[in-house]
Amino acid sequence: MEYSENKLLEFTKKAIETVSQGCRIEELAQLTYQIFKLPLIVADPGYRLIAYAGGENIHDPYWQQIIYSGEPTDHTIMKFYIDDGLMEAITGSNEAIYIDWGVCVDYPQTCGPIYIDNNLEGFVSILFMREELLEFSLKLNNLLRQFCAILMQSNNYRLTHAINPVKELLAQKFFDIENYVDAASLEDYLKIVQLKASYCIVVLSQKNHDSMLFSRLKSQIVKECQNLLYYEKEQKLYLLFHQLRDSKLSPAFLQLIRQSECYCGASTVFDSLDQRAVFIQQAEIARDTAQSLNTSSQCIAFSECLTEAFLLHPLKAFKKENLMPEEIHTLFAYDEVHETELAKTLSVYLQLRNDINKTAKKLHVHRNTLIYRLNKIRDLAGVEIDDPEVAWRFQLIFRVLEVSTGRK
């Protein structure tokens, strides 16, 4: 087998001709292997297999893992690709590099990043077994990086917005509250992917289950929105926004929702990941409520649809933290610290149709004392309790608490 500059030039001409005809990356890989008999692999930023060309008896166990299962295990990514600095070394270079350490110590190879518009789109690795082929392998690798970039663009193969594999793993586990119950189980990932408060969880789905429209919306969201983790399951898109400005979802995101036919629900904004399951449920319930009411093209906040959610969903489905909105929780918390009865006062006041005299008599307090309490409630809850909609919502919530927890 000849490994010379002339042979490389011949290959370049052949590859240009093949690429210009609109070949697939798999075909380019096979062409390369047929000419040079050097095994090569092309993977996306999450190390998932795009193409492989080589013999059946590949010796590198990590290549075997990707070739036969389509992607490496979580342990392999964390231990060998991330902790050992392999990914950082590859992405820190604009050209192919030689790797003979870490996971590649027994299987030296060249590896180079594929960039499009400064976004990482994948990797090309060439496995060579003879040291004298190093310089040739580096040159061939750099050619393949460029050809793969062209094919990814021309064939719309490109992963519109590349994602760090650790970030992707974190997203999968973040929304898997059955197997990863507490935030401590995500600690290794959180050390690498720096999430910062304030947080908000959003769940959305396409109104008519149109997979193409759903995919397009997902791509637009990922492209337009910063500080985002996303995960798709059961035809729903789960989003974790972090580092929110002014504790609000971005106008760009809300505009995308308004322009699409989707059901969308959002949690309240929170500052700690310790109870993420509570806020995931909030977003899920808000989305389900939007679908039940056929309210599309807007992002429904859990706090805004709680009344409807109580009427549409069985109470036993709610986590206990989600039975009580922030305003009512604030009153109970204040009562516990200051040994007051603001929550009870509000409940009785609403039951008696906001009648100050009847409420004062029922609670055995002076009218002025009641007025003081009601003003305190307004200050703490931040709402006008005499507003008919607010009064109805709070009255329903107190009834829900009484039925579900026995709390009066």
Side-chain angles (χ1 to χ4, degrees), residues 82-124:
I82 305 300
D83 291 350
D84 285 355
L86 178 64
M87 183 178 180
E88 183 178 0
I90 297 171
T91 57
S93 172
N94 291 322
E95 297 184 343
I97 63 172
Y98 173 47
I99 304 173
D100 62 350
W101 44 270
V103 70
C104 302
V105 65
D106 296 321
Y107 308 95
Q109 55 196 269
T110 61
C111 186
I114 303 170
Y115 284 106
I116 301 176
D117 299 332
N118 296 318
N119 288 322
L120 179 67
E121 303 293 345
F123 308 95
V124 179

Side-chain angles (χ1 to χ4, degrees), residues 286-330:
R287 190 221 69 88
D288 292 348
T289 301
Q291 181 173 354
S292 296
L293 298 174
N294 197 26
T295 303
S296 60
S297 304
Q298 59 179 295
C299 187
I300 305 297
F302 176 75
S303 59
E304 296 173 353
C305 70
L306 192 55
T307 301
E308 292 83 355
F310 284 151
L311 297 174
L312 292 168
H313 301 83
L315 293 181
K316 63 182 181 180
F318 287 75
K319 294 183 180 296
K320 63 180 181 4
E321 296 90 344
N322 287 330
L323 292 171
M324 190 185 306
E326 187 63 30
E327 301 98 330
I328 303 299
H329 176 76
T330 299

Side-chain angles (χ1 to χ4, degrees), residues 246-262:
D246 302 321
S247 297
K248 295 179 180 178
L249 292 171
S250 71
F253 170 74
L254 296 176
Q255 179 65 19
L256 286 173
I257 297 302
R258 284 192 291 269
Q259 293 172 348
S260 65
E261 286 287 310
C262 71

Side-chain angles (χ1 to χ4, degrees), residues 121-290:
E121 303 293 345
F123 308 95
V124 179
S125 292
I126 298 176
L127 193 64
F128 63 96
M129 304 308 294
R130 289 157 42 195
E131 188 175 346
E132 63 268 22
L133 295 181
L134 170 59
E135 290 301 321
F136 182 87
S137 179
L138 286 169
K139 292 178 180 178
L140 178 59
N141 198 310
N142 282 322
L143 281 173
L144 291 173
R145 289 173 51 242
Q146 296 176 55
F147 288 136
C148 284
I150 293 170
L151 291 174
M152 285 180 175
Q153 286 179 302
S154 60
N155 294 342
N156 293 320
Y157 193 95
R158 184 179 175 197
L159 306 172
T160 305
H161 188 87
I163 184 169
N164 182 310
V166 181
K167 193 173 181 182
E168 185 171 277
L169 289 173
L170 173 59
Q172 294 173 1
K173 290 167 174 54
F174 182 91
F175 292 108
D176 183 0
I177 55 178
E178 292 183 6
N179 297 309
Y180 300 89
V181 179
D182 53 49
S185 61
L186 308 175
E187 189 173 339
D188 289 343
Y189 302 91
L190 290 170
K191 289 177 182 177
I192 299 172
V193 182
Q194 308 258 325
L195 301 181
K196 298 180 181 179
S198 302
Y199 308 103
C200 182
I201 292 170
V202 172
V203 178
L204 61 88
S205 63
Q206 191 65 36
K207 181 177 180 179
N208 298 316
H209 304 290
D210 189 314
S211 58
M212 290 187 64
L213 289 177
F214 182 74
S215 179
R216 181 173 179 271
L217 176 60
K218 180 178 74 171
S219 297
Q220 289 176 317
I221 291 172
V222 173
K223 181 179 179 180
E224 294 293 335
C225 301
Q226 302 297 317
N227 302 320
L228 174 71
L229 282 184
Y230 67 93
Y231 181 58
E232 184 179 342
K233 65 175 181 179
E234 299 173 353
Q235 295 184 313
K236 298 183 183 73
L237 184 61
Y238 284 70
L239 307 168
L240 170 66
F241 291 91
H242 65 102
Q243 208 169 347
L244 291 176
R245 292 184 178 180
D246 302 321
S247 297
K248 295 179 180 178
L249 292 171
S250 71
F253 170 74
L254 296 176
Q255 179 65 19
L256 286 173
I257 297 302
R258 284 192 291 269
Q259 293 172 348
S260 65
E261 286 287 310
C262 71
Y263 299 118
C264 180
S267 73
T268 53
V269 175
F270 57 102
D271 292 326
S272 172
L273 299 177
D274 291 337
Q275 288 189 301
R276 76 188 197 282
V278 170
F279 300 103
I280 291 173
Q281 186 190 65
Q282 287 186 4
E284 289 176 330
I285 289 175
R287 190 221 69 88
D288 292 348
T289 301

